[in-house]
Amino acid sequence: MKSLLLVAHGSRRKESNEEVAKLADVIKQKTHQQFANIKHAFLELAEPSIEDAVDDLVNAGAKQIVVLPYFLSAGRHVHEDVPEIINAKRAQYADLDLIMAPYLGESNEIPDVLISLAVNPN
Amino acid sequence: MKSLLLVAHGSRRKESNEEVAKLADVIKQKTHQQFANIKHAFLELAEPSIEDAVDDLVNAGAKQIVVLPYFLSAGRHVHEDVPEIINAKRAQYADLDLIMAPYLGESNEIPDVLISLAVNPN
């Protein structure tokens, strides 16, 4: 069974990082049948790092991990920084299947989510 | 009828800013009945500014504008910078109704969007 790693940028604001942890928890509650394990990680400025989270998932038995970038735009972080870390982990764990999912902003559901917020803003 | 202003952070990468413009276009195509006018704007690093976009909407006849922050977390930008600009515009245009919508990351639809991406990552 796949594990899921939600990767966010990380912030100096503790509250922003906690939002990401909470989001991973909500996903966990909504998907207890679909993923063996669900964790969050941060590219920078906060813990756990992506490296540590992958190690934890592998130590917990993961053979396949979906890495999901919680980013809105496809900048350097999505195109270079996260893949670079993931590629290093692929080299480290030959038997591990690390799958990069699209980043959040690429989802074709985003326009409808924004429309819901715009139509009922209060 | 309300107008809609999609507000993003703005990037040094032209492509990221173009993604926001494209997103506003997709919303326009999906909502031609619901909003009189739809524009995008950037807090920094790119044009148009929020100030200029509000002016443009007002000059086009807007009496009510929903301001929708395209941000994932509630940091200084969402809590201070955008509201400060919006409050200045409220002071400038006494008859204009400027409504702050929740920021994208606050939508309770986000977990399901992430789950869709995670379950079908390819």
Side-chain angles (χ1 to χ4, degrees):
Chain A
M1 203 187 281
K2 288 175 192 171
S3 290
L4 173 61
L5 182 59
L6 181 68
V7 172
H9 184 277
S11 168
R12 287 187 183 80
R13 286 179 72 251
K14 205 178 127 202
E15 295 83 358
S16 294
N17 300 327
E18 286 170 352
E19 280 183 61
V20 175
K22 241 180 261 176
L23 186 55
D25 277 343
V26 172
I27 293 174
K28 201 175 288 184
Q29 289 159 26
K30 289 193 165 214
T31 58
H32 48 101
Q33 302 296 325
Q34 284 151 299
F35 295 98
N37 207 339
I38 296 174
K39 284 196 176 288
H40 68 282
F42 300 102
L43 179 61
E44 54 190 44
L45 301 175
E47 295 289 328
S49 67
I50 302 172
E51 290 89 339
D52 287 350
V54 170
D55 291 347
D56 285 352
L57 288 170
V58 169
N59 291 337
K63 305 280 180 221
Q64 200 175 41
I65 302 173
V66 176
V67 179
L68 179 49
Y70 187 58
F71 286 79
L72 284 182
S73 68
R76 189 171 46 85
H77 296 318
V78 166
H79 276 320
E80 295 172 31
D81 301 340
V82 175
E84 195 172 294
I85 294 168
I86 295 307
N87 283 334
K89 284 292 162 191
R90 284 183 177 131
Q92 182 184 346
Y93 298 114
D95 293 338
L96 179 64
D97 185 14
L98 272 165
I99 302 160
M100 287 292 305
Y103 63 97
L104 174 61
E106 210 171 9
S107 167
N108 55 22
E109 297 179 46
I110 292 292
D112 290 330
V113 175
L114 290 168
I115 290 166
S116 296
L117 293 173
V119 170
N120 299 298
N122 300 315
Chain B
M1 203 186 284
K2 288 174 191 171
S3 290
L4 173 61
L5 182 59
L6 182 68
V7 172
H9 184 276
S11 168
R12 286 187 184 82
R13 286 180 73 252
K14 204 178 126 199
E15 295 82 359
S16 294
N17 300 327
E18 286 169 351
E19 282 184 61
V20 176
K22 242 181 260 175
L23 186 55
D25 276 343
V26 172
I27 294 174
K28 201 175 287 184
Q29 289 159 27
K30 289 193 165 215
T31 58
H32 48 102
Q33 301 295 326
Q34 283 150 300
F35 295 98
N37 207 338
I38 296 174
K39 285 195 174 289
H40 68 281
F42 300 102
L43 180 61
E44 54 191 42
L45 301 174
E47 296 287 328
S49 66
I50 303 173
E51 291 88 339
D52 287 349
V54 170
D55 290 347
D56 285 351
L57 289 169
V58 169
N59 291 337
K63 306 279 179 223
Q64 201 175 40
I65 302 172
V66 176
V67 179
L68 178 49
Y70 187 57
F71 286 78
L72 284 181
S73 69
R76 188 171 45 85
H77 296 318
V78 167
H79 276 319
E80 294 172 34
D81 300 339
V82 175
E84 195 172 294
I85 294 168
I86 296 306
N87 283 333
K89 285 291 163 191
R90 285 184 177 130
Q92 182 184 347
Y93 297 114
D95 292 339
L96 179 66
D97 186 13
L98 272 165
I99 302 160
M100 286 294 303
Y103 63 98
L104 174 62
E106 208 171 11
S107 167
N108 55 21
E109 297 179 45
I110 291 292
D112 289 330
V113 175
L114 291 168
I115 291 166
S116 295
L117 294 173
V119 170
N120 300 298
N122 300 316

